[in-house]
Amino acid sequence: MPSSKPPSSSASPEQPGRPVAPEAPELIWLRPERTGRGPKPAHSRDSIAAAAITIADAEGLDAVSMRRVAAALGAGTMSLYNYVPKKEHLLDLMLDAACGEYRLPAEPSGDVRADLTGLAHEQLTIFRRHPWLPGLVIARPGIGPNALRYTDHFLAVTAPTGQPGGTRMEAMAMFNGFICQFAQYEQSAAAGAKWQAEMVGYLTQAAMSGAYPHLARAFATAGPPADPDQAFERTLDRVVLAILAPTR
């Protein structure tokens, strides 16, 4: 269906002869960082993202605001909007800057299982460095230059499986989702020892009630709580095996 908006070259009906300004792109990645005119900007997207990440690492994502970032840079809050038009753009810049921390090899080794395992550990390390990041990864799609670099690398790593590109994109979503959820659970367990103990007690009580026989049998054979790193390795191995499995 054709757009109901007039083309940018047409005249406004309210003000004949005055051209209608084209609508600015919603995605920050479609907006040029510099127009090439005027003096060199005092700040860059990289410096703005770095300042925001420093605040988020210290105080959490909720502490990040345009005012706080501007203060950290020694800039006026309103002047920051010349670089980052809105808060969502700032989050996109932060997400992509964090994606730039991946130490990706120039080429995959060809051992898909080993490469995926290494990539998972790399991602978990970044999530542990930035506790606010897993929630942002789940909430917002990463499509900036660094995120696309990661995506391209994942597709290169999984190319030997012979699976279609769409299937491998789905596999990447599953792979990233598992690591995000593990990192978030790890943070919750570390931050709430009392909550963790109460949860174990509650589930034990529920299993012993007789109302959940399958849960009771699972608890009876579960053994002591697993070491988090060992649990990550075991679950990661299952996720990788699922990615390697032939498609139906």
Side-chain angles (χ1 to χ4, degrees), residues 54-79:
T54 297
I55 295 170
D57 286 348
E59 304 176 45
L61 194 60
D62 288 343
V64 176
S65 67
M66 300 294 274
R67 180 184 61 81
R68 288 288 307 277
V69 174
L73 293 169
T77 302
M78 296 309 297
S79 69

Side-chain angles (χ1 to χ4, degrees), residues 71-95:
L73 293 169
T77 302
M78 296 309 297
S79 69
L80 201 64
Y81 285 96
N82 293 325
Y83 302 90
V84 185
K86 58 183 181 177
K87 175 72 174 291
E88 289 77 9
H89 291 160
L90 180 60
L91 297 177
D92 289 339
L93 292 177
M94 294 171 66
L95 174 56

Side-chain angles (χ1 to χ4, degrees), residues 54-206:
T54 297
I55 295 170
D57 286 348
E59 304 176 45
L61 194 60
D62 288 343
V64 176
S65 67
M66 300 294 274
R67 180 184 61 81
R68 288 288 307 277
V69 174
L73 293 169
T77 302
M78 296 309 297
S79 69
L80 201 64
Y81 285 96
N82 293 325
Y83 302 90
V84 185
K86 58 183 181 177
K87 175 72 174 291
E88 289 77 9
H89 291 160
L90 180 60
L91 297 177
D92 289 339
L93 292 177
M94 294 171 66
L95 174 56
D96 201 60
C99 286
E101 297 179 16
Y102 281 100
R103 298 172 297 178
L104 303 178
E107 297 290 340
S109 71
D111 185 334
V112 180
R113 189 166 184 170
D115 286 349
L116 287 176
T117 300
L119 191 59
H121 283 282
E122 183 85 5
Q123 186 170 146
L124 184 60
T125 297
I126 295 173
F127 285 163
R128 286 171 171 171
R129 188 182 303 141
H130 306 298
W132 49 270
L133 185 57
L136 188 57
V137 169
I138 292 173
R140 298 190 67 81
I143 56 173
N146 289 318
L148 294 181
R149 173 173 161 262
Y150 169 88
T151 299
D152 199 66
H153 178 73
F154 186 96
L155 293 174
V157 165
T158 54
T161 65
Q163 297 170 350
T167 301
R168 287 183 283 137
M169 291 289 287
E170 292 172 353
M172 185 180 71
M174 177 180 68
F175 180 84
N176 293 343
F178 156 65
I179 303 169
C180 283
Q181 289 187 324
F182 182 88
Q184 288 183 314
Y185 177 79
E186 191 175 55
Q187 292 167 21
S188 299
K194 183 176 184 293
W195 173 85
Q196 186 82 355
E198 288 181 352
M199 182 186 69
V200 172
Y202 168 74
L203 291 176
T204 301
Q205 184 179 8

